């Protein structure tokens, strides 16, 4: 059984918060490298433009809505509204899962338009799109697992104003993932 010893931490920045920020910084560096490589590779030639999947619009709406529900869950935890915490964390999970399904649909649209990942004759623009969305999707899956742990803890009444760290960390990571998607979406709109 996982104990809640972290709730008694009295120092400055909690070690788990520090660890989360290190993870976020490393992910930012990775996506910074990906998007820089995208720009450099595009200038080298053999870059065939294609329309971005329209389901990216749906993905964007879903991730924004999920950030709203996540913030509502966090606010509810601070006010000890435990029913709202459970409801909003579950809603965030549903919206995050729907986001992933919209991404899979986008990949299906790419395949229908003969845009594939890798291969000698493939379009590097397509390969970059798969990498950017796939790696983001992987991180979103980790966010969903984090949400599941928060949901389980909330069902056991271990998420409330006196034990807020778990949902606070999840809230930070989830907003980061939403912000990262918005960056990628607008980056692709401008540079595609």
């Amino acid at each position: 059984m996982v104990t809640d010893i972290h709730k008694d931490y009295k120092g400055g920045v909690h070690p788990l918060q520090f660890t989360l920020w290190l993870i976020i910084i490393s992910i930012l560096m990775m996506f910074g490298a990906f998007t820089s490589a995208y720009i450099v590779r595009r200038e080298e030639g053999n870059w065939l433009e294609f329309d971005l999947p329209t389901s990216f619009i749906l993905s964007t709406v879903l991730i924004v809505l999920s950030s709203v529900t996540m913030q509502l869950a966090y606010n509810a935890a601070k006010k000890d509204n435990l029913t709202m915490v459970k409801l909003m964390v579950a809603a965030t999970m549903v919206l995050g899962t729907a986001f992933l399904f919209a991404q899979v649909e986008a990949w299906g649209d790419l395949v229908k338009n003969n845009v594939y990942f890798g291969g000698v004759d493939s379009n590097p623009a397509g390969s970059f799109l798969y990498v950017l969305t796939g790696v983001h999707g992987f991180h979103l899956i980790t966010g969903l697992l984090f949400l599941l742990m928060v949901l389980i803890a909330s069902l056991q009444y271990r998420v409330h104003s006196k034990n807020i760290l778990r949902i606070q960390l999840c809230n930070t990571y989830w907003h980061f993932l939403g912000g990262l998607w918005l960056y990628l979406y607008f980056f692709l709109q401008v540079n595609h």
Side-chain angles (χ1 to χ4, degrees), residues 55 58 66 79 119 147:
S55 52
L58 175 61
S66 73
K79 296 176 182 174
L147 276 167

Side-chain angles (χ1 to χ4, degrees), residues 63-76 85 88-89 91-93 95 143 147 150 166-175:
I63 202 83
V64 168
L65 289 175
S66 73
S67 265
V68 170
T69 57
M70 187 67 236
Q71 188 63 46
L72 291 172
Y74 176 63
N75 293 346
V85 171
M88 290 297 106
V89 170
T92 304
M93 289 186 69
L95 290 165
L147 276 167
V150 170
R166 181 181 285 114
I167 196 166
Q168 181 181 32
L169 295 173
C170 191
N171 186 48
T172 300
Y173 188 60
W174 197 260
H175 288 319

Side-chain angles (χ1 to χ4, degrees), residues 2-10 14 16 163 165-166:
V2 177
T3 60
D4 290 325
I5 59 173
H6 58 268
K7 69 182 179 183
D8 296 327
Y9 185 78
K10 300 290 187 222
H14 193 282
L16 291 175
N163 192 12
L165 182 65
R166 181 181 285 114

Side-chain angles (χ1 to χ4, degrees), residues 42-91:
R42 186 181 68 185
E43 298 304 317
E44 290 180 6
N46 188 27
W47 191 270
L48 303 173
E49 296 294 342
F50 54 88
D51 292 332
L52 291 174
T54 56
S55 52
F56 278 178
I57 297 168
L58 175 61
S59 296
T60 303
V61 169
L62 290 168
I63 202 83
V64 168
L65 289 175
S66 73
S67 265
V68 170
T69 57
M70 187 67 236
Q71 188 63 46
L72 291 172
Y74 176 63
N75 293 346
K78 290 194 303 187
K79 296 176 182 174
D80 288 325
N81 185 344
L82 304 183
T83 301
M84 184 64 88
V85 171
K86 296 172 204 168
L87 182 63
M88 290 297 106
V89 170

Side-chain angles (χ1 to χ4, degrees), residues 88-135:
M88 290 297 106
V89 170
T92 304
M93 289 186 69
V94 168
L95 290 165
T97 303
F99 173 89
L100 286 176
F101 279 109
Q103 294 294 83
V104 169
E105 183 180 322
W107 282 13
D109 291 344
L110 291 171
V111 170
K112 286 178 193 171
N113 292 320
N114 297 316
V115 178
Y116 302 103
F117 176 81
V120 177
D121 296 329
S122 71
N123 178 2
S127 295
F128 268 99
L129 189 61
Y130 282 107
V131 168
L132 290 171
T133 58
V135 175

